[in-house]
Every structure is written in structure tokens, then in C-alpha cells.
Amino acid sequence: MSLKIPFFGLLANRSPMDGLVEHYDKIAECVAAIDESLECYVSGGVCREFEELTRSVDEIENHADSIKRNIRNHLPKGLFMPVEKTLFLNYTKSQDNILDAAQDALYWLAMRKVIIPEDIQKDLIYLLDGIARCTVLLGPALKSTIALMHGESLDREGTKERFRQVRNERNNVRHMKNALYKKIYNKDVDFKDIYQLIHFVDCLDNMGHNTENCAELLRSMMAR
């Protein structure tokens, strides 16, 4: 059995991968704001709180962008990167795409007032809960991968299991999304409402899709 011994942690005081955790924390803030926004929207339409929450998501996304730029602008030379630079940059892009999709989701919801049919309100909230679980599971997967890269852990199997958990939750989200599509398309409501709700669901699904991409990129980092 071969054992990979990471040595980056011995050479640098701060790894660029540590910045990924700081950026990831913004995703949790964003999901919490969307959750609150959706509850506000479903219960009372475009209320003042909803507008404030939408602005807060914009602020969170802007802060996350500045973290991402700082990470990219201070990358060490290739020899001293803990992982392949292309994989690292692709990961930062996918993680940032989660936040972009969250911002887009609220954009579509706020575009115009839609009366959400009662029988799909819970489905939307369940879908968002699934997205939240998916993104929450990414955190331990990211931290576990970083610990491996820095030589602070040798738990490769445990890390792989965390990737599988993200993938499984993503599959659940995909099933919920497809069922919700069917329900929305079969509602006897204005087509503009259907179009708007479908795009909102698409953006939520993109959050799950990019979360799964992040887990796959982490798996690739570990494999090299």
C-alpha cells in the first residue's frame, strides 16, 4: 500500500486552500438568507423584509468575490501549490458559482410578484432544504481534503465518504427538482408565473449542481 505524504504544510505558513474555507462560509450565509427570503415571499409576497434580504445576499456575494480575488492574487508559485493550480482555480470558480446561482435565484423571485400555489409552497421549501443540506455537506468534505493536503490527517476513506454524501444529497435534490417541474408545468396559472418559478427552481438546482462539481474537484485533488 502506498502512502502519500503531503509536505506543503511544512513549507508555508498559510496555504491558499485556507482561503477556500473563508469563501465557503459565505455560502452558508447566503443559503440562510434565501431560506428566510423564500419564507417571507411565500407568506406575504414582496415585503420590505424580502427586499432587505435580497440586498443582504448581494452584499454577501460581493464579499465572497473579494475573498476569491484575494485568494487568486496571492497564489504561490506552482512548485509550492498544495494541489495542481488548474484544479485549484476550477474549484474556486465552482464554489463561487454556487453563490452566483443563489443571487440569480433571488433575482428571479424578486422580478415580479407571483402568487405561489399552496400545493407547491412546501415543495419549494423542501427543495431549498435539500440544497442547504448539500452545501452544508460540502464544508466537511472541503476541510477534510485540506487536512489531507496539509498532512494533518491520513483519513482518505473518511474523506471519500464525505464526497459520496454530497453526491447522494445532490441526487435527492435532482429528484425533487424534476417532480417540482412537473407540478409547476401542470398548474393552471399564467405562463409568466410558470416561467418565473421554473427559472427560480433552475437557479436553486444550479446551486446543487455546482456543489457536486466542487466535491468532484476535491476528489480529483486528492487523487493526484
Side-chain angles (χ1 to χ4, degrees), residues 53-68:
L53 288 165
T54 302
R55 281 198 295 275
S56 77
V57 168
D58 288 341
E59 289 168 5
I60 293 168
E61 206 281 332
N62 289 337
H63 189 185
D65 274 346
S66 69
I67 295 171
K68 182 186 71 175

Side-chain angles (χ1 to χ4, degrees), residues 24 27 31 91 94-95 97-99 131-139 141 163 166-167 169-170 204-218:
Y24 165 82
I27 295 174
V31 170
Y91 180 87
S94 284
Q95 191 165 274
N97 284 346
I98 300 171
L99 289 159
I131 299 292
R133 285 194 296 275
C134 201
T135 55
V136 164
L137 287 169
L138 179 62
F163 301 153
V166 173
R167 194 181 310 125
E169 192 56 47
R170 163 60 181 151
L204 293 182
D205 185 57
N206 278 340
M207 292 177 70
H209 174 68
N210 282 295
T211 303
E212 184 183 32
N213 278 350
C214 284
E216 288 302 310
L217 287 164
L218 290 174

Side-chain angles (χ1 to χ4, degrees), residues 16-17 75-92 149 217 220-224:
M17 296 194 75
L75 286 180
K77 298 294 183 186
L79 181 62
F80 297 105
M81 283 290 290
V83 298
E84 189 179 301
K85 193 171 184 178
T86 302
L87 277 176
F88 180 84
L89 292 175
N90 286 342
Y91 180 87
T92 58
M149 295 298 106
L217 287 164
S220 298
M221 289 178 191
M222 197 180 78
R224 294 183 178 215

Side-chain angles (χ1 to χ4, degrees), residues 7-115:
F7 59 92
F8 181 80
L10 303 175
L11 301 177
N13 291 328
R14 179 174 166 80
S15 162
M17 296 194 75
D18 291 334
L20 296 180
V21 177
E22 187 183 359
H23 184 268
Y24 165 82
D25 288 342
K26 295 298 163 192
I27 295 174
E29 289 181 36
C30 221
V31 170
I34 290 183
D35 191 41
E36 201 175 339
S37 301
L38 185 58
E39 285 185 13
C40 172
Y41 193 95
V42 168
S43 62
V46 184
C47 55
R48 180 181 173 187
E49 291 81 3
F50 178 79
E51 293 171 358
E52 287 175 358
L53 288 165
T54 302
R55 281 198 295 275
S56 77
V57 168
D58 288 341
E59 289 168 5
I60 293 168
E61 206 281 332
N62 289 337
H63 189 185
D65 274 346
S66 69
I67 295 171
K68 182 186 71 175
R69 284 194 297 274
N70 186 53
I71 294 170
R72 292 187 168 206
N73 291 339
H74 295 88
L75 286 180
K77 298 294 183 186
L79 181 62
F80 297 105
M81 283 290 290
V83 298
E84 189 179 301
K85 193 171 184 178
T86 302
L87 277 176
F88 180 84
L89 292 175
N90 286 342
Y91 180 87
T92 58
K93 181 175 175 54
S94 284
Q95 191 165 274
D96 200 57
N97 284 346
I98 300 171
L99 289 159
D100 288 343
Q103 196 175 25
D104 289 343
L106 282 192
Y107 168 78
W108 276 100
L109 202 59
M111 187 176 292
R112 56 185 275 280
K113 177 73 172 65
V114 176
I115 303 297

